[in-house]
Amino acid sequence: MDKLKKVLSGQDTEDRGGLAEVVEASSLSWGTRIKGFIACFAAGIVCSLLGTLLLWVPRKGLYLFAVFYTFGNIASIGSTVFLMGPMKQLKRMFEPTRLIATVMVLLCFTLTLCSAFWWHNKGLALIFCVLQSLALTWYSLSFIPYARDAVKKCFAVCLA
């Protein structure tokens, strides 16, 4: 409201930065954000499922699985950028409460792709895919209030 008053009274003489203009020009409507989220999330699910189906291809199946599964998870995480915006998403990813989970997810993504492309080690690729799933689950739980505490208590009860 204050911004509108300044513009209407002619007091708005501040020079907006280039980044502010880009963000303002590229803002999406809520409907477009929802459509983008659904499309990106669906593409992530399709990639993950395709990777699972390609697991059974002789010779290159595990590599294809690792690549498609990882890209599917990246697309699924990327879909939330449509809901929050890229800067807010990055800020929330690196908040102290989920910093370790974020680093583990990104590390597992990287190690999965490295084991598939550079190291050509199927066993490591499969291990990192499993770790990727666990890290991504822990990361996702960090967005639900008290969810990680509940999981910790559940495991403590089961192991005691």
Side-chain angles (χ1 to χ4, degrees):
M1 193 68 165
D2 292 328
K3 181 76 171 169
L4 181 61
K5 287 179 185 177
K6 285 182 181 180
V7 170
L8 292 177
S9 66
Q11 296 174 352
D12 189 27
T13 59
E14 67 179 313
D15 189 334
R16 296 185 329 191
L19 182 61
E21 289 180 13
V22 169
V23 169
E24 196 172 293
S26 65
S27 63
L28 302 173
S29 70
W30 185 247
T32 305
R33 287 176 184 257
I34 294 295
K35 290 174 189 172
F37 167 78
I38 291 170
C40 199
F41 192 75
I45 290 173
V46 167
C47 281
S48 295
L49 290 175
L50 182 61
T52 304
L53 294 175
L54 291 173
L55 181 61
W56 310 112
V57 172
R59 289 192 188 169
K60 299 284 184 183
L62 193 56
Y63 299 125
L64 293 171
F65 166 71
V67 170
F68 277 97
Y69 189 75
T70 301
F71 286 145
N73 284 337
I74 290 170
S76 295
I77 286 179
S79 67
T80 58
V81 169
F82 285 99
L83 297 179
M84 289 190 245
M87 293 309 292
K88 188 173 181 181
Q89 172 74 16
L90 286 173
K91 285 178 186 175
R92 293 201 62 196
M93 283 177 73
F94 292 100
E95 287 176 349
T97 56
R98 65 181 62 88
L99 179 63
I100 294 172
T102 300
V103 169
M104 289 304 298
V105 167
L106 296 175
L107 184 66
C108 287
F109 287 165
T110 304
L111 291 174
T112 302
L113 294 175
C114 285
S115 63
F117 285 127
W118 288 283
W119 303 330
H120 302 290
N121 191 326
K122 293 179 181 180
L124 275 178
L126 189 58
I127 288 170
F128 289 132
C129 281
V130 170
L131 291 175
Q132 186 181 124
S133 297
L134 294 172
L136 194 56
T137 301
W138 192 251
Y139 169 79
S140 299
L141 286 174
S142 72
F143 285 95
I144 303 169
Y146 305 107
R148 293 197 291 186
D149 291 335
V151 170
K152 285 179 189 177
K153 287 180 183 177
C154 183
F155 273 106
V157 168
C158 290
L159 294 176

